[in-house]
Amino acid sequence: MTPAELREFCLGFNAAVEEFPFTPETSVFKVLGKVFALSALDAEPLKVNLKCEPELAVRLREEHEAIVPGYHMNKRHWNTVTVGGLPDATVRELVEDSYDLVVAGLPRAERLKLDRP
């Protein structure tokens, strides 16, 4: 997955936006003001921080060398994923899971605005 493909995938979710609150190099993808992915898209290797269920996060780290505790994040809830170290389909699934976790934590009225089950 290329940086452009990662950006396009993240922005493809309902109400997703890209912001740069930290540095011009760090893309922060949000849904209704809540972060679901962070990445320095021009970095080599390409990495992305993604939210994850705590138990699943531990299991994924054990199963994949490309997944480690979230860099500069709450390590219980966030993983840093080296994109090139996993199949594209797996990266897409992890990004989608992160988005869904963040949406699930939004107030009901905001979730309903997104038209997502």
Side-chain angles (χ1 to χ4, degrees), residues 71-89:
Y71 182 71
H72 282 291
M73 305 296 284
N74 180 325
K75 291 168 183 17
R76 178 168 157 75
H77 296 278
W78 289 84
N79 282 335
T80 296
V81 177
T82 302
V83 174
L86 296 170
D88 288 357

Side-chain angles (χ1 to χ4, degrees), residues 6 13 18 31 33 37 45 49 56-57 63 69 71 74 76-77 82 84 92 94-95 103-106 110-111:
L6 179 60
F13 293 105
E18 180 181 23
V31 55
N49 282 1
L56 178 59
E63 294 173 1
Y71 182 71
N74 180 325
R76 178 168 157 75
H77 296 278
T82 302
R92 285 187 186 94
L94 293 171
V95 172
V103 168
L106 294 171
E110 290 184 359
R111 284 194 316 269

Side-chain angles (χ1 to χ4, degrees), residues 99-112:
Y99 176 87
D100 289 343
L101 269 175
V102 171
V103 168
L106 294 171
R108 184 173 185 272
E110 290 184 359
R111 284 194 316 269
L112 292 174

